[in-house]
Amino acid sequence: MQYEVIHSRSKGFFAEFTRRNSNTPKNMHYCPGCGHGILHKLIAEAIEDLQIKDRTILISPVGCSVFAYYYFDCFGISVPHGRAPAVGTGLSRADENNIVISYQGDGDLGAIGLNEFLQTANRGENMAVFFVNNAIYGMTGGQMAPTTLPGQKTVTTPLGRSVQSEGYPLKVAEMVAALDSPVYVERVALSSGSNILKARAALRKALQNTIDKKGFSFVEFLTGCPVNLKKSASEINSFIDEQMSKYFVPGVYKDIADTRDPLRRAVPVYAPETVKQCLYESYSQSGAVRDFVNPSPFFNKERRIKIAGSGGQGVLSLGYMLATMGNLRNFEVSYLPMYGPEMRGGTANCSVVLSRRKISSPVVDSDCNLLIALNQLSFDKFLPELKPNGVIIYDSDCVKPHDLLPGQIAYKVNASALARDLGNLKYANAVILGALSQLLDDHFLQEPDKTDFETVVEAAIRICFAGKEQLIKPNINAFYLGKHTCRVSRFKA
């Protein structure tokens, strides 16, 4: 028996949605009547008809469409909430032939990601942003969204949205059209057949602009969420046409692509060896040969270090020096500084991980081998993160130790006092580094690692303070002062 297929699933979709872990590999996960299904179909058909499948990257952040990559036979990336424009910028600029689609909902684009979205539009990045506006938070249970209509009832506005309390809904299309860079802005409705045809044309125009490298195109799609709005399919269409469309008026708000020349951005230079020379020139002067390995068994295990103290005590600089030292001796290294209000008081901290193998996580929280505490607050806050057999080095001028476990060992160093003798409290970090060197010499390192440690410290200081020549010699002096004159006294619980 012969038959002819008149209509079938677009080749912009996979034949079966095997990426989705489901017993129904031909169905989407969206609720019945959801507008995402209609919009997905329009996108898939456009990808097929425009023959851009192998160039298209569809970005789906957190929301009902976070798993959009289940369905489209093109490249797909899921990204954190609100961060699609940043990822899209990188993809667009990395390869100008990429066709980037940012697929975002009203909470994602209009709330947590609004500033990032507007900055991307203002830069005129070459991408198409498809904005799904269903006037409600669908994925999390039907709360008020930035686009919830005045008087509309939601889980969090049971009496209806009050413009006096919550303000007016965001008119995103109008906001984007007011910017100079975007070339095309239109709002359409996914309701009646004629409106869906208009949406189809708008979507394709946005993609064609991206193909032609004309810059930033934006299409807002008014859609329904029948489950959370508690409406039937026909009621949803009436809601879109009779209520949403009165506030969010469909139409073309900007269309100037024909007046713009294709984007001509500077071509990036991809020369890995040149980049290495620019970034790591100093390392080639002081680093070890590629196959060098420190002979002391102490270095065979991963070492996880937390450094904490007041802002201005050189906490981050000390961590950077240790990370640089590891880098110079062929360790896998991670350095994670923690910026925040702590930098203006309280406790600032950073984490350093050194390993001969790949590092699984740069976070040091409950498995710290070495804790360096430069003030009392840091000691109190981070002592619980120290391993039961861990070591803590603390500034005895600022810290009174307490509550150590039986297997933990603390070493006190009068770092602040010695730094004052050198004329600046900021040298306390280098004094601590010197004390650490002596501690390692006494208990953990073999020759020639003892001598090499001093060599690599000096190299790291020169690298870390490159361009600040006046700080290099004082920090080296502080290191040796800490190593040769500092009394490292052991305190055990």
Side-chain angles (χ1 to χ4, degrees):
M1 176 176 153
Q2 294 182 343
Y3 60 90
E4 180 182 1
V5 177
I6 305 298
H7 296 289
S8 65
R9 175 172 289 169
S10 167
K11 290 183 173 59
F13 285 132
F14 291 115
E16 289 192 355
F17 304 137
T18 55
R19 291 180 177 177
R20 183 186 177 204
N21 186 16
S22 170
N23 294 325
T24 54
K26 291 186 177 295
N27 295 340
M28 294 183 177
H29 71 278
Y30 301 114
C31 302
C34 175
H36 285 298
I38 299 173
L39 183 52
H40 279 27
K41 182 179 179 181
L42 297 181
I43 294 173
E45 291 175 346
I47 289 174
E48 178 185 5
D49 293 347
L50 296 173
Q51 299 182 352
I52 55 174
K53 182 178 71 171
D54 294 334
R55 298 168 55 194
T56 298
I57 307 171
L58 190 140
I59 307 171
S60 50
V62 175
C64 290
S65 60
V66 68
F67 297 119
Y69 63 87
Y70 284 167
Y71 311 119
F72 292 96
D73 189 7
C74 65
F75 299 101
I77 299 179
S78 285
V79 299
H81 210 1
R83 300 299 174 253
V87 176
T89 297
L91 291 168
S92 176
R93 295 208 179 197
D95 186 344
E96 64 177 9
N97 292 313
N98 286 337
I99 307 301
V100 178
I101 300 173
S102 179
Y103 189 110
Q104 297 180 258
D106 40 22
D108 180 82
L109 183 148
I112 193 171
L114 181 62
N115 179 62
E116 193 163 295
F117 160 73
L118 289 175
Q119 297 296 342
T120 302
N122 194 50
R123 292 193 304 270
E125 302 296 342
N126 190 48
M127 66 174 69
V129 175
F130 297 153
F131 173 46
V132 181
N133 176 1
N134 57 16
I136 202 166
Y137 281 157
M139 186 181 73
T140 55
Q143 300 90 341
M144 186 191 78
T147 54
T148 296
L149 297 174
Q152 181 182 337
K153 294 181 180 180
T154 70
V155 171
T156 50
T157 57
L159 300 179
R161 176 174 185 156
S162 168
V163 296
Q164 295 182 347
S165 298
E166 290 84 40
Y168 287 91
L170 289 180
K171 294 184 176 180
V172 179
E174 289 85 339
M175 294 169 64
V176 179
L179 301 174
D180 291 334
S181 292
V183 297
Y184 175 57
V185 180
E186 184 169 357
R187 181 184 288 129
V188 294
L190 298 178
S191 52
S192 64
S194 60
N195 283 337
I196 291 174
L197 288 176
K198 292 178 183 177
R200 180 178 185 271
L203 182 148
R204 291 175 179 237
K205 178 176 282 190
L207 287 177
Q208 189 62 54
N209 288 339
T210 307
I211 295 169
D212 296 338
K213 300 182 177 62
K214 290 301 184 78
F216 192 87
S217 294
F218 173 84
V219 183
E220 178 176 346
F221 297 87
L222 303 182
T223 68
C225 183
V227 171
N228 285 298
L229 293 176
K230 298 178 175 58
K231 297 179 184 297
S232 66
S234 61
E235 289 173 337
I236 275 293
N237 286 341
S238 297
F239 174 74
I240 294 172
D241 291 337
E242 298 171 10
Q243 296 186 50
M244 289 189 71
S245 294
K246 287 184 178 179
Y247 190 89
F248 301 109
V249 180
V252 178
Y253 286 82
K254 191 173 188 179
D255 187 3
I256 59 171
D258 291 342
T259 69
R260 295 281 179 88
D261 294 328
L263 290 172
R264 294 282 186 266
R265 300 198 190 279
V267 179
V269 177
Y270 296 103
E273 292 305 317
T274 303
V275 172
K276 287 181 181 178
Q277 290 175 9
C278 293
L279 293 177
Y280 305 119
E281 184 175 3
S282 300
Y283 285 37
S284 63
Q285 299 172 2
S286 308
V289 295
R290 288 184 179 274
D291 59 352
F292 174 82
V293 177
N294 296 87
S296 299
F298 173 79
F299 294 118
N300 292 339
K301 293 184 178 181
E302 183 174 88
R303 302 298 172 182
R304 305 179 70 80
I305 305 166
K306 173 70 68 74
I307 306 166
S310 301
Q313 282 189 298
V315 169
L316 304 186
S317 296
L318 178 54
Y320 187 46
M321 283 190 277
L322 287 172
T324 303
M325 291 168 62
N327 213 345
L328 289 170
R329 290 300 178 263
N330 298 332
F331 285 90
E332 297 288 339
V333 179
S334 70
Y335 167 63
L336 184 63
M338 300 298 291
Y339 293 91
E342 296 88 351
M343 299 302 293
R344 297 295 179 264
T347 175
N349 73 90
C350 65
S351 300
V352 177
V353 181
L354 306 170
S355 179
R356 290 297 182 195
R357 294 172 292 278
K358 295 294 184 182
I359 295 170
S360 59
S361 172
V363 177
V364 178
D365 48 16
S366 60
D367 54 358
C368 179
N369 300 113
L370 171 64
L371 173 62
I372 298 175
L374 299 181
N375 67 359
Q376 188 68 49
L377 187 58
S378 298
F379 183 99
D380 298 340
K381 181 175 182 179
F382 295 111
L383 181 62
E385 299 182 4
L386 188 65
K387 279 187 171 183
N389 62 344
V391 174
I392 179 169
I393 299 176
Y394 64 93
D395 187 342
S396 58
D397 296 316
C398 306
V399 177
K400 293 183 179 180
H402 60 84
D403 297 334
L404 268 69
L405 298 176
Q408 294 174 335
I409 299 176
Y411 290 88
K412 65 179 182 179
V413 181
N414 56 335
S416 294
L418 288 172
R420 285 192 202 93
D421 293 341
L422 290 171
N424 196 326
L425 275 172
K426 290 185 177 180
Y427 299 141
N429 58 357
V431 172
I432 289 281
L433 186 55
L436 174 61
S437 176
Q438 188 60 53
L439 173 63
L440 293 174
D441 283 358
D442 291 344
H443 300 286
F444 300 104
L445 299 188
Q446 302 174 351
E447 289 291 357
D449 283 341
K450 293 181 180 181
T451 303
D452 184 63
F453 195 93
E454 296 180 359
T455 301
V456 76
V457 165
E458 291 192 24
I461 289 175
R462 289 190 173 92
I463 291 170
C464 294
F465 294 104
K468 300 178 181 179
E469 301 300 321
Q470 74 279 10
L471 298 179
I472 293 176
K473 187 174 180 180
N475 274 281
I476 292 176
N477 291 340
F479 165 75
Y480 283 110
L481 179 65
K483 180 161 187 175
H484 298 312
T485 68
C486 182
R487 291 185 178 180
V488 182
S489 300
R490 175 169 169 171
F491 171 86
K492 188 171 182 180

